[in-house]
Amino acid sequence: DTGVSQDPRHKITKRGQNVTFRCDPISEHNRLYWYRQTLGQGPEFLTYFQNEAQLEKSRLLSDRFSAERPKGSFSTLEIQRTEQGDSAMYLCASSLGQGAKTQYFGPGTRLLVL
Amino acid sequence: SQQGEEDPQALSIQEGENATMNCSYKTSINNLQWYRQNSGRGLVHLILIRSNEREKHSGRLRVTLDTSKKSSSLLITASRAADTASYFCATDSLSYNTDKLIFGTGTRLQVFP
């Protein structure tokens, strides 16, 4: 257990539905990252926050995706109008400070869109 | 997109043998890290090597880095069945103004008891 928690661990939804995932980072970590991992591939960067500010978004993050970190603590990732191609593992990670380098990952949320 | 590739894609060995995995990347880096992922689970950080380091050890792990060849290797000595997992290298690039990690494609290691 790295200290990063994600909820839910598994989500099955029908195409077109909205889903929201939550990530609770290690409490003193000010940086929070979201990654997406499809079967047989390494994780791919989606977005990251420093405190409550979203500082970068990947081109993978279409306008159906939105992420927030309202108080600089937990974060949510919402996918609107889900598509089958959104099926993946969504991983959250946190780190302490700029250039801290080591990111600690949560267990992930596995999404299946039917 | 992935930063680079890992080789081999899959590796099967007997307990007690050593396992070597290689990682190549594309851009100049600050640091390279190795992570382990058990099936369907999150990633566990194993070791970080800085761009000015050439070799680093942690327990049964030995990592080397050759920045001139943009490559790294992870050696697991005296492997155990519990080492069965996927192993990923990840880099943070000098080209990017963030600490985001760019992962390789992974090596799936199977250690038979």
Side-chain angles (χ1 to χ4, degrees), chain A residues 9 31 33 35 37 40-45 48 56 89 91 97-103 105-107 110, chain B residues 1-2 31 33 35 37 40-45 48 50 88 92 97-105 108:
Chain A
R9 294 289 306 276
R31 289 201 159 194
Y33 309 78
Y35 294 84
Q37 185 179 25
Q41 299 295 313
E44 293 182 292
F45 171 78
Y48 95 99
E56 185 174 343
M89 173 82 90
L91 294 161
Q98 185 174 1
K101 310 168 189 76
T102 298
Q103 295 180 18
F105 282 80
R110 183 170 294 282
Chain B
S1 63
Q2 308 287 169
N31 309 282
Q33 303 181 55
Y35 284 83
Q37 185 178 38
R41 311 291 291 275
L43 284 83
V44 175
H45 181 259
L48 178 151
R50 302 177 196 278
F88 296 92
D92 53 355
N97 192 29
T98 75
D99 289 336
K100 68 182 180 185
L101 295 178
I102 308 297
F103 285 84
T105 50
R108 286 169 293 285

Side-chain angles (χ1 to χ4, degrees), chain B residues 21-23 25 32 34 63-66 70-74:
Chain B
M21 291 159 261
N22 302 295
C23 163
Y25 57 92
L32 185 143
W34 285 89
V63 169
T64 62
L65 179 64
D66 187 336
K70 292 186 169 57
S71 68
S72 174
S73 67
L74 171 67

Side-chain angles (χ1 to χ4, degrees), chain B residues 27-90:
Chain B
T27 62
S28 297
I29 63 171
N30 290 309
N31 309 282
L32 185 143
Q33 303 181 55
W34 285 89
Y35 284 83
R36 184 186 74 220
Q37 185 178 38
N38 290 84
S39 180
R41 311 291 291 275
L43 284 83
V44 175
H45 181 259
L46 295 176
I47 194 166
L48 178 151
I49 186 166
R50 302 177 196 278
S51 60
N52 62 355
E53 296 176 314
R54 292 297 166 256
E55 187 170 317
K56 200 161 184 179
H57 297 254
S58 177
R60 294 185 296 113
L61 305 180
R62 173 178 168 255
V63 169
T64 62
L65 179 64
D66 187 336
T67 53
S68 67
K69 295 181 180 178
K70 292 186 169 57
S71 68
S72 174
S73 67
L74 171 67
L75 169 67
I76 304 174
T77 60
S79 63
R80 305 166 183 169
D83 295 327
T84 294
S86 290
Y87 291 81
F88 296 92
C89 67

